[in-house]
């Protein structure tokens, strides 16, 4: 009974509100300072059904998921995830592709070998070329780490052999989106224990220049994570990153009073030729989360 009364009261309130609004617009007035506007119905937000993209590997844990959309085809998506192989007790990476706006997904890039695969990242260039990045750790005699970059001209159905680079830890990719001569230049960011690293390709990702430091942590801090590199419509490159210090931070659970972590960004205004001094976005305290590397975050432009 209470539920019925509530609905009746709510409907009555809505009806009175709409009626009052319409009445206010219909009342004639000579006051030129009063401006009336037509009633505009709010557009509803509709959430579709859940879709399991990982059906092909439904029994395996997935993590570090990353997704990109084709700017030339709104129905074309490429995503990737780290997938734990139960049989081999080792991590691998899978790239999933959708051509119907995410309703169905197909694994189009998988790896069945003894290497350790991690850190998937997906991207689309302005011309619709799909890119997929991952770290490969090889175990022949000694452990070596590489960043592999795959390209696809058909939206992720098929992939070219990889461009192999020295490892960019937790890498991401972006593109020059201006209409100038540098359109479709490819940029990659990653990190090491002591620096924010940057790489650049002038031929659509076929070859890359030698990676270099875009920023180093401030005194007494170390880099602890990066977010996806961003390129703005005016060509500016922005790389947010995270740095921390362990000095004076207790091991016990709980947030300390003083800030001991910092969110910063480094900027280039010449397509990565040089980078300006980093700017501080915010200071923060991470508490007991500090040593679990909480530096993964996201950004958008």
């Amino acid at each position: 009974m209470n539920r019925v009364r509530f609905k009746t009261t709510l409907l009555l309130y809505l009806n009175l509100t709409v009626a009052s609004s319409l009445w206010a617009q219909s009342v004639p007035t000579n006051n030129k300072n009063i401006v009336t506007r037509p009633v505009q119905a709010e557009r509803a937000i509709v959430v579709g059904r859940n879709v399991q993209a990982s059906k092909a590997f439904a029994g395996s844990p997935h993590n570090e998921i990353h997704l990109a959309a084709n700017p030339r085809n709104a129905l074309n998506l490429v995503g990737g995830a780290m997938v734990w192989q139960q049989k081999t007790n080792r991590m691998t990476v899978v790239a999933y592709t959708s051509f119907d706006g995410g309703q169905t997904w197909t694994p189009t890039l998988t790896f069945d070998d003894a290497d350790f695969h991690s850190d998937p990242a997906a991207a689309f260039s302005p011309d619709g070329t799909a890119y997929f990045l991952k770290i490969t750790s090889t175990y022949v005699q000694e452990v070596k780490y590489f960043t592999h970059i795959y390209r696809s001209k058909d939206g992720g159905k098929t992939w070219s052999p990889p461009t192999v680079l020295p490892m960019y830890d937790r890498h991401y990719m972006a593109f020059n989106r201006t209409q100038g001569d540098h359109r479709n230049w490819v940029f990659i960011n990653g990190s090491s224990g002591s620096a924010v690293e940057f790489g650049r390709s002038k031929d659509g990702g076929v070859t890359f220049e030698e990676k270099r430091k875009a920023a180093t942590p401030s005194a007494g801090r170390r880099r602890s994570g990066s977010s996806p590199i961003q390129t703005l419509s005016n060509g500016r490159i922005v790389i947010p990153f995270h740095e921390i210090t362990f000095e004076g931070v207790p091991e016990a659970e709980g947030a300390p009073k003083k800030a001991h972590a910092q969110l910063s960004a480094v900027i280039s205004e010449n397509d990565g030729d040089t980078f300006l001094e980093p700017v501080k976005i915010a200071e923060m305290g991470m508490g007991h989360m500090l040593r679990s590397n909480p530096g993964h975050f996201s950004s958008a432009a």
Side-chain angles (χ1 to χ4, degrees), residues 176-187 270-271 273:
N176 183 303
R177 300 181 182 277
T178 67
Q179 299 298 323
D181 295 337
H182 296 175
R183 179 173 173 80
N184 284 344
W185 278 21
V186 180
F187 309 119
N270 52 16
D271 278 324
D273 287 342

Side-chain angles (χ1 to χ4, degrees), residues 35-113:
V35 179
T36 60
R37 297 178 176 84
V39 174
Q40 296 181 353
E42 293 186 5
R43 300 181 64 178
I45 298 174
V46 179
V47 179
R49 63 184 179 89
N50 285 338
V51 174
Q52 183 178 0
S54 60
K55 284 184 179 180
F57 298 90
S60 301
H62 286 53
N63 57 54
E64 291 205 21
I65 299 164
H66 196 250
L67 181 69
N70 190 340
R72 296 295 185 91
N73 179 2
L75 298 179
N76 182 200
L77 304 168
V78 170
M82 290 169 56
V83 181
W84 186 257
Q85 301 180 95
Q86 306 285 5
K87 293 182 179 180
T88 62
N89 203 33
R90 185 165 289 177
M91 190 72 74
T92 188
V93 163
V94 176
Y96 295 96
T97 302
S98 175
F99 289 95
D100 56 11
Q103 296 301 313
T104 58
W105 295 85
T106 303
T108 57
L109 193 59
T110 59
F111 306 92
D112 186 15
D113 54 35

Side-chain angles (χ1 to χ4, degrees), residues 173-247:
M173 182 175 282
F175 308 87
N176 183 303
R177 300 181 182 277
T178 67
Q179 299 298 323
D181 295 337
H182 296 175
R183 179 173 173 80
N184 284 344
W185 278 21
V186 180
F187 309 119
I188 183 173
N189 76 304
S191 55
S192 64
S194 61
V196 177
E197 297 177 327
F198 172 80
R200 180 172 66 181
S201 172
K202 298 180 180 180
D203 56 11
V206 178
T207 61
F208 277 79
E209 301 170 352
E210 184 177 353
K211 70 176 180 178
R212 48 199 169 87
K213 295 180 180 180
T216 55
S218 53
R221 297 179 184 268
R222 71 172 180 86
R223 185 222 51 83
S224 60
S226 300
S227 92
I229 182 173
Q230 301 294 339
T231 52
L232 309 187
S233 58
N234 61 2
R236 176 178 291 178
I237 298 171
V238 182
I239 307 176
F241 65 97
H242 186 263
E243 54 185 6
I244 57 176
T245 178
F246 291 129
E247 183 180 356

Side-chain angles (χ1 to χ4, degrees), residues 42 137 201 217 275 287 296:
E42 293 186 5
S137 306
S201 172
F275 285 87
H296 294 303

